[in-house]
Amino acid sequence: MAVDAIFDEAAGTLIDRGVDGPIECALVLGTGLGRIVDDMVDMVTIPFSAIPGFPLGEVSGHARQLCYGTLFGKKVLIFQGRAHYYETGDPAAMRVPLGMLTAFGSPPLILTNAAGSLKPDLRPGGLALITDHINLNGPNPLVGDVGDGRFVPMVDAYDPHLRLRLKKAAASSGANLGEGVYMWFTGPSFETPAEIRMAKTLGADLVGMSTVPEVILARRFGIRVAAISVITNMGAGLLGGTPHHAETRDVATAASTGLRRLFRSFLSEL
Ligand code: HPA
Protein backbone atom coordinates (compact mmCIF):
# COMPACT_ATOMS: atom_id res chain seq x y z
CA MET A 1 0.00 0.00 0.00
CA ALA A 2 2.80 2.43 0.85
CA VAL A 3 4.15 2.48 -2.70
CA ASP A 4 1.29 3.27 -4.95
CA ALA A 5 1.06 4.49 -8.57
CA ILE A 6 -1.76 6.88 -7.72
CA PHE A 7 0.55 8.77 -5.34
CA ASP A 8 2.95 9.46 -8.20
CA GLU A 9 0.07 10.37 -10.48
CA ALA A 10 -1.28 12.87 -7.93
CA ALA A 11 2.24 14.27 -7.41
CA GLY A 12 2.61 14.59 -11.19
CA THR A 13 -0.52 16.75 -11.33
CA LEU A 14 0.93 19.05 -8.69
CA ILE A 15 4.17 19.39 -10.62
CA ASP A 16 2.26 20.11 -13.87
CA ARG A 17 0.27 22.77 -12.05
CA GLY A 18 3.32 24.64 -10.75
CA VAL A 19 4.64 22.85 -7.66
CA ASP A 20 8.14 23.38 -8.94
CA GLY A 21 10.24 23.19 -5.79
CA PRO A 22 10.68 21.21 -2.60
CA ILE A 23 8.03 20.83 0.08
CA GLU A 24 9.67 21.61 3.41
CA CYS A 25 6.50 21.22 5.45
CA ALA A 26 2.87 20.21 4.78
CA LEU A 27 -0.02 21.71 6.75
CA VAL A 28 -3.62 20.55 6.88
CA LEU A 29 -5.95 23.39 7.87
CA GLY A 30 -9.12 22.46 9.72
CA THR A 31 -12.51 24.15 9.95
CA GLY A 32 -12.31 27.93 9.97
CA LEU A 33 -8.50 27.99 9.73
CA GLY A 34 -8.12 28.39 5.96
CA ARG A 35 -7.11 32.07 6.23
CA ILE A 36 -3.60 31.06 7.21
CA VAL A 37 -2.87 30.94 3.48
CA ASP A 38 -3.23 34.75 3.45
CA ASP A 39 0.38 34.87 4.64
CA MET A 40 1.63 32.81 1.70
CA VAL A 41 3.52 34.42 -1.19
CA ASP A 42 4.14 33.16 -4.75
CA MET A 43 1.13 30.93 -4.26
CA VAL A 44 -0.17 28.29 -6.66
CA THR A 45 -3.64 26.87 -5.88
CA ILE A 46 -4.97 23.54 -7.12
CA PRO A 47 -8.52 22.35 -6.33
CA PHE A 48 -8.76 18.84 -4.87
CA SER A 49 -11.13 18.06 -7.76
CA ALA A 50 -8.24 18.41 -10.26
CA ILE A 51 -6.02 15.79 -8.59
CA PRO A 52 -6.40 12.02 -9.19
CA GLY A 53 -7.50 10.09 -6.12
CA PHE A 54 -8.27 13.19 -4.05
CA PRO A 55 -11.59 13.26 -2.17
CA LEU A 56 -14.48 15.36 -3.44
CA GLY A 57 -17.25 16.98 -1.43
CA GLU A 58 -17.36 20.03 0.79
CA VAL A 59 -18.10 21.27 4.28
CA SER A 60 -18.76 24.95 5.03
CA GLY A 61 -15.58 26.49 6.44
CA HIS A 62 -13.37 24.32 4.18
CA ALA A 63 -12.21 25.47 0.73
CA ARG A 64 -10.81 22.07 -0.39
CA GLN A 65 -7.80 23.10 -2.34
CA LEU A 66 -4.03 22.81 -2.17
CA CYS A 67 -1.93 25.92 -1.87
CA TYR A 68 1.79 25.76 -2.57
CA GLY A 69 4.14 28.65 -1.99
CA THR A 70 6.41 30.38 0.48
CA LEU A 71 5.10 30.73 3.99
CA PHE A 72 7.32 32.61 6.44
CA GLY A 73 10.38 31.81 4.33
CA LYS A 74 9.72 28.07 3.78
CA LYS A 75 8.26 26.16 0.84
CA VAL A 76 5.01 24.81 2.22
CA LEU A 77 2.12 22.76 0.87
CA ILE A 78 -1.17 23.66 2.53
CA PHE A 79 -4.23 21.46 2.42
CA GLN A 80 -6.96 24.05 2.76
CA GLY A 81 -9.61 21.70 4.08
CA ARG A 82 -9.70 17.92 4.37
CA ALA A 83 -12.13 15.05 3.83
CA HIS A 84 -13.76 13.56 6.93
CA TYR A 85 -14.92 10.04 7.62
CA TYR A 86 -18.46 11.32 8.20
CA GLU A 87 -18.84 12.46 4.60
CA THR A 88 -18.66 9.03 2.95
CA GLY A 89 -17.91 6.48 5.67
CA ASP A 90 -14.40 6.00 4.28
CA PRO A 91 -11.76 6.26 7.03
CA ALA A 92 -9.07 6.28 4.31
CA ALA A 93 -10.52 9.36 2.56
CA MET A 94 -7.18 11.20 3.01
CA ARG A 95 -5.06 8.25 1.83
CA VAL A 96 -4.00 9.69 -1.54
CA PRO A 97 -3.44 13.28 -0.35
CA LEU A 98 -1.15 12.03 2.43
CA GLY A 99 0.42 9.16 0.47
CA MET A 100 1.30 11.64 -2.27
CA LEU A 101 3.65 13.38 0.18
CA THR A 102 5.96 10.35 -0.04
CA ALA A 103 6.63 11.35 -3.66
CA PHE A 104 7.92 14.69 -2.31
CA GLY A 105 10.32 13.11 0.21
CA SER A 106 7.83 12.81 3.10
CA PRO A 107 8.04 16.33 4.56
CA PRO A 108 6.90 16.83 8.17
CA LEU A 109 3.13 17.13 8.41
CA ILE A 110 1.27 19.40 10.81
CA LEU A 111 -2.46 18.78 11.13
CA THR A 112 -4.85 21.31 12.61
CA ASN A 113 -8.45 20.88 13.66
CA ALA A 114 -11.27 22.45 15.61
CA ALA A 115 -11.99 20.55 18.81
CA GLY A 116 -14.17 20.55 21.89
CA SER A 117 -12.42 20.68 25.26
CA LEU A 118 -13.00 18.43 28.26
CA LYS A 119 -10.44 20.17 30.44
CA PRO A 120 -11.26 23.37 32.36
CA ASP A 121 -7.84 24.88 31.58
CA LEU A 122 -8.22 24.36 27.81
CA ARG A 123 -10.59 27.21 27.08
CA PRO A 124 -12.45 28.07 23.86
CA GLY A 125 -10.32 30.32 21.68
CA GLY A 126 -7.10 28.60 22.83
CA LEU A 127 -4.70 26.14 21.20
CA ALA A 128 -3.71 22.64 22.31
CA LEU A 129 -0.97 20.33 21.08
CA ILE A 130 -2.23 16.77 20.70
CA THR A 131 -0.02 14.34 22.62
CA ASP A 132 -1.85 11.08 21.84
CA HIS A 133 -5.26 9.86 20.71
CA ILE A 134 -8.07 7.44 21.49
CA ASN A 135 -9.88 5.72 18.63
CA LEU A 136 -12.86 3.80 19.94
CA ASN A 137 -15.01 4.38 16.87
CA GLY A 138 -14.14 1.13 15.15
CA PRO A 139 -13.09 2.39 11.70
CA ASN A 140 -9.37 2.35 10.91
CA PRO A 141 -7.98 3.60 7.58
CA LEU A 142 -5.65 0.59 7.32
CA VAL A 143 -8.42 -2.03 7.24
CA GLY A 144 -7.93 -3.82 3.91
CA ASP A 145 -4.24 -2.90 3.71
CA VAL A 146 -1.90 -5.87 3.24
CA GLY A 147 1.54 -6.94 4.44
CA ASP A 148 3.27 -6.52 7.76
CA GLY A 149 3.55 -2.76 7.26
CA ARG A 150 -0.12 -2.44 8.21
CA PHE A 151 0.72 -3.20 11.87
CA VAL A 152 1.79 0.36 12.49
CA PRO A 153 3.28 1.14 15.92
CA MET A 154 1.45 4.04 17.54
CA VAL A 155 3.77 4.88 20.44
CA ASP A 156 4.97 8.46 19.86
CA ALA A 157 2.69 8.65 16.81
CA TYR A 158 2.60 12.40 17.47
CA ASP A 159 6.27 13.02 16.80
CA PRO A 160 8.10 14.10 20.00
CA HIS A 161 10.66 16.18 18.09
CA LEU A 162 8.02 18.11 16.13
CA ARG A 163 6.03 18.58 19.34
CA LEU A 164 9.04 20.07 21.05
CA ARG A 165 9.62 22.45 18.14
CA LEU A 166 5.97 23.51 18.20
CA LYS A 167 6.15 24.15 21.94
CA LYS A 168 9.28 26.25 21.47
CA ALA A 169 7.59 28.14 18.64
CA ALA A 170 4.57 28.79 20.87
CA ALA A 171 6.80 30.08 23.67
CA SER A 172 8.78 32.39 21.39
CA SER A 173 5.69 33.71 19.60
CA GLY A 174 3.71 34.29 22.80
CA ALA A 175 0.95 31.87 21.72
CA ASN A 176 -0.56 29.94 24.60
CA LEU A 177 -0.33 26.23 23.71
CA GLY A 178 -1.89 23.71 26.09
CA GLU A 179 -1.77 19.98 25.44
CA GLY A 180 -4.00 16.95 25.64
CA VAL A 181 -5.24 13.59 24.41
CA TYR A 182 -7.68 13.78 21.48
CA MET A 183 -10.56 11.37 21.13
CA TRP A 184 -12.06 10.82 17.69
CA PHE A 185 -15.85 10.73 17.37
CA THR A 186 -17.05 10.04 13.85
CA GLY A 187 -19.69 12.80 13.82
CA PRO A 188 -21.33 14.44 12.06
CA SER A 189 -23.68 14.72 15.04
CA PHE A 190 -21.96 16.20 18.07
CA GLU A 191 -21.52 14.10 21.20
CA THR A 192 -24.13 13.74 23.90
CA PRO A 193 -23.28 14.91 27.42
CA ALA A 194 -23.12 11.22 28.46
CA GLU A 195 -20.58 10.50 25.71
CA ILE A 196 -18.50 13.45 26.85
CA ARG A 197 -18.53 12.16 30.44
CA MET A 198 -17.40 8.77 29.10
CA ALA A 199 -14.59 10.38 27.06
CA LYS A 200 -13.39 12.24 30.15
CA THR A 201 -13.43 9.05 32.22
CA LEU A 202 -11.40 7.29 29.54
CA GLY A 203 -8.67 9.92 29.60
CA ALA A 204 -9.57 12.27 26.74
CA ASP A 205 -8.97 16.02 26.99
CA LEU A 206 -10.19 16.99 23.51
CA VAL A 207 -12.86 15.65 21.15
CA GLY A 208 -13.23 16.06 17.41
CA MET A 209 -14.25 14.50 14.11
CA SER A 210 -10.96 14.33 12.18
CA THR A 211 -7.19 13.92 12.53
CA VAL A 212 -7.01 10.36 13.96
CA PRO A 213 -7.36 8.55 10.60
CA GLU A 214 -4.85 11.00 9.10
CA VAL A 215 -2.29 10.34 11.83
CA ILE A 216 -2.64 6.58 11.32
CA LEU A 217 -2.18 7.01 7.55
CA ALA A 218 0.78 9.33 7.97
CA ARG A 219 2.51 6.83 10.27
CA ARG A 220 1.80 4.06 7.76
CA PHE A 221 3.61 6.14 5.14
CA GLY A 222 6.51 6.92 7.49
CA ILE A 223 5.64 10.63 7.62
CA ARG A 224 6.44 12.49 10.85
CA VAL A 225 3.28 14.14 12.09
CA ALA A 226 2.07 16.52 14.80
CA ALA A 227 -1.36 18.03 15.40
CA ILE A 228 -2.76 21.18 16.97
CA SER A 229 -6.37 21.73 18.02
CA VAL A 230 -8.03 25.08 18.05
CA ILE A 231 -10.49 24.81 20.92
CA THR A 232 -13.83 26.12 19.79
CA ASN A 233 -16.10 25.04 22.64
CA MET A 234 -16.41 23.03 25.82
CA GLY A 235 -17.63 19.48 25.24
CA ALA A 236 -21.38 18.92 25.28
CA GLY A 237 -22.80 19.46 28.75
CA LEU A 238 -19.55 20.77 30.26
CA LEU A 239 -19.76 24.30 31.67
CA GLY A 240 -22.89 24.75 29.57
CA GLY A 241 -21.21 23.53 26.35
CA THR A 242 -23.74 23.03 23.52
CA PRO A 243 -21.48 22.74 20.45
CA HIS A 244 -22.77 23.55 16.98
CA HIS A 245 -21.07 24.00 13.61
CA ALA A 246 -21.46 27.77 13.19
CA GLU A 247 -19.82 28.34 16.59
CA THR A 248 -17.02 25.89 15.72
CA ARG A 249 -16.29 27.67 12.46
CA ASP A 250 -16.51 31.21 13.84
CA VAL A 251 -14.47 30.62 17.01
CA ALA A 252 -11.79 28.81 14.98
CA THR A 253 -11.57 31.73 12.56
CA ALA A 254 -11.19 34.19 15.44
CA ALA A 255 -8.57 31.99 17.14
CA SER A 256 -6.49 31.53 14.01
CA THR A 257 -4.41 34.65 14.76
CA GLY A 258 -2.53 32.79 17.52
CA LEU A 259 -1.98 29.86 15.20
CA ARG A 260 -0.55 32.16 12.51
CA ARG A 261 1.93 33.57 15.01
CA LEU A 262 2.89 30.09 16.10
CA PHE A 263 3.43 28.92 12.49
CA ARG A 264 5.51 31.97 11.71
CA SER A 265 7.88 31.11 14.52
CA PHE A 266 7.81 27.34 13.81
CA LEU A 267 8.52 27.70 10.09
CA SER A 268 11.19 30.33 10.43
CA GLU A 269 13.09 28.00 12.80
CA LEU A 270 12.52 24.87 10.66
N1 HPA B 1 -17.11 17.72 19.26
C1 HPA B 1 -16.68 17.19 18.10
N2 HPA B 1 -16.06 17.88 17.17
C2 HPA B 1 -15.83 19.18 17.41
C3 HPA B 1 -16.25 19.80 18.59
C4 HPA B 1 -16.92 19.03 19.58
O1 HPA B 1 -17.31 19.50 20.65
N3 HPA B 1 -15.89 21.10 18.51
C5 HPA B 1 -15.26 21.25 17.32
N4 HPA B 1 -15.23 20.10 16.65
Side-chain angles (χ1 to χ4, degrees):
M1 170 164 168
V3 181
D4 205 311
I6 188 102
F7 300 162
D8 286 339
E9 221 184 297
T13 303
L14 264 62
I15 292 164
D16 291 345
R17 295 259 191 156
V19 177
D20 55 0
I23 298 174
E24 294 174 272
C25 183
L27 296 178
V28 174
L29 299 181
T31 305
L33 302 173
R35 292 281 304 282
I36 286 171
V37 301
D38 292 354
D39 292 313
M40 198 173 236
V41 292
D42 300 328
M43 186 166 81
V44 175
T45 62
I46 311 166
F48 279 17
S49 58
I51 311 170
F54 268 50
L56 302 174
E58 75 177 78
V59 179
S60 70
H62 285 260
R64 286 279 160 90
Q65 60 184 6
L66 287 183
C67 304
Y68 175 73
T70 304
L71 186 64
F72 306 127
K74 295 292 179 315
K75 287 291 190 186
V76 174
L77 184 72
I78 291 187
F79 294 76
Q80 210 181 20
R82 55 155 60 86
H84 305 82
Y85 171 77
Y86 61 70
E87 293 167 56
T88 59
D90 178 9
M94 289 294 285
R95 182 171 169 274
V96 176
L98 299 179
M100 177 198 72
L101 294 174
T102 58
F104 291 98
S106 302
L109 172 67
I110 312 294
L111 307 171
T112 63
N113 62 39
S117 166
L118 313 189
K119 229 175 152 181
D121 60 334
L122 297 178
R123 303 296 299 171
L127 303 174
L129 187 62
I130 299 181
T131 54
D132 200 349
H133 76 220
I134 301 174
N135 176 15
L136 282 188
N137 282 320
N140 186 299
L142 304 182
V143 169
D145 194 355
V146 292
D148 287 354
R150 73 185 121 173
F151 302 113
V152 176
M154 294 297 288
V155 174
D156 285 339
Y158 295 79
D159 188 79
H161 180 71
L162 284 177
R163 272 157 51 196
L164 189 64
R165 294 191 86 126
L166 286 163
K167 279 193 198 181
K168 284 188 176 156
S172 64
S173 67
N176 190 5
L177 184 66
E179 57 181 30
V181 173
Y182 178 93
M183 186 161 179
W184 179 38
F185 282 85
T186 64
S189 56
F190 283 97
E191 301 74 33
T192 64
E195 287 163 345
I196 290 296
R197 286 195 299 275
M198 174 198 72
K200 231 175 121 110
T201 304
L202 294 180
D205 305 307
L206 302 157
V207 290
M209 305 179 194
S210 67
T211 304
V212 165
E214 294 153 40
V215 168
I216 296 170
L217 285 164
R219 293 310 303 138
R220 171 69 175 102
F221 300 137
I223 296 168
R224 290 190 298 133
V225 60
I228 295 178
S229 290
V230 172
I231 298 156
T232 54
N233 56 280
M234 296 310 289
L238 295 182
L239 303 173
T242 50
H244 50 92
H245 183 63
E247 172 193 57
T248 297
R249 199 188 45 214
D250 296 346
V251 176
T253 306
S256 64
T257 335
L259 197 59
R260 273 158 104 146
R261 279 210 310 270
L262 191 155
F263 281 145
R264 173 180 312 174
S265 167
F266 172 74
L267 288 170
S268 43
E269 300 287 314
L270 195 67

